[in-house]
Amino acid sequence: MTPNNHIILVNEQDEALATMEKLEAHQKGLLHRAFSVFIINSRQEMLLHQRASHKYHSGGLWTNACCSHPMPGEEVEQAAHRRLQEEMGFDCPLQKLFTFTYHATFDNGLIEHEYDHVFLGTFDGSMAPNAEEVEAHGFFALPDISALIRDTPERFTYWFKMAYPTVLEHLGQR
């Protein structure tokens, strides 16, 4: 296995304990370091993307601009910039907002147990989403997103629904 297939296992204080192959960590449901990037534009609309259907979990669901795991030896913010470029085809300044921990079991038996670092950026330029990662994308008004989550929560990823209300608070929208 190459190092980029490994993720960082952590304790409840986000202290690194070990590394493990990503799929194995998700099969065992072990707590690991992750990040989620939220992007707004100058009109206070949020960038959402629909995950590619073939993703190992949550395929076809709508979520924030990007999310992933830092590689061993990689700082979380550095990883967030890397993945934003790899998934959405752009980069922008990011501000760390908060962290949270969650545990979710998916229909395919995989388990997300993440210590998630949440970042926010503002971007108005063009993007080139990676078709291997993204089926659809767009900027959406915050009230519309809130209504969609309320009315059709099954269309969104678990972590997005958990983080979104706190992101709104940071944007002064709650």
Side-chain angles (χ1 to χ4, degrees):
M1 293 280 161
T2 57
N4 65 351
N5 288 331
H6 284 71
I7 59 178
I8 304 162
L9 302 180
V10 298
N11 62 20
E12 292 290 337
Q13 292 74 45
D14 194 33
E15 297 166 335
L17 303 175
T19 64
M20 182 177 281
E21 195 276 324
K22 181 171 79 169
L23 185 58
E24 181 182 0
H26 288 99
Q27 290 168 334
K28 294 180 176 180
L30 299 175
L31 183 61
H32 57 277
R33 190 173 291 154
F35 60 85
S36 296
V37 177
F38 286 74
I39 299 294
I40 57 169
N41 63 20
S42 59
R43 294 179 302 283
Q44 292 293 294
E45 297 167 323
M46 185 174 285
L47 175 61
L48 299 182
H49 87 271
Q50 185 180 27
R51 289 169 58 90
S53 295
H54 67 269
K55 297 287 280 188
Y56 66 107
H57 70 73
S58 304
L61 298 183
W62 286 87
T63 197
N64 46 289
C66 78
C67 44
S68 189
H69 313 92
M71 293 183 288
E74 184 179 38
E75 294 297 322
V76 179
E77 185 172 346
Q78 176 188 7
H81 285 285
R82 174 182 53 79
R83 270 319 270 173
L84 187 57
Q85 182 65 50
E86 290 171 357
E87 287 191 32
M88 299 306 296
F90 73 91
D91 194 13
C92 66
L94 298 174
Q95 170 193 2
K96 185 171 177 180
L97 296 183
F98 61 95
T99 61
F100 71 103
T101 303
Y102 74 95
H103 186 279
T105 303
F106 299 100
D107 291 342
N108 64 3
L110 295 179
I111 303 163
E112 281 284 21
H113 190 191
E114 295 191 334
Y115 191 104
D116 199 353
H117 297 252
V118 178
F119 293 88
L120 177 67
T122 302
F123 184 76
D124 283 302
S126 62
M127 58 189 81
N130 179 341
E132 287 296 311
E133 301 284 342
V134 178
E135 285 191 14
H137 71 285
F139 281 97
F140 298 87
L142 300 175
D144 293 344
I145 296 170
S146 297
L148 285 168
I149 292 171
R150 183 191 66 237
D151 297 342
T152 57
E154 70 280 359
R155 295 178 61 196
F156 295 89
T157 62
Y158 185 87
W159 60 89
F160 176 75
K161 292 182 288 189
M162 286 195 67
Y164 181 74
T166 306
V167 172
L168 285 183
E169 287 176 14
H170 283 272
L171 293 171
Q173 298 291 318
R174 192 149 190 216

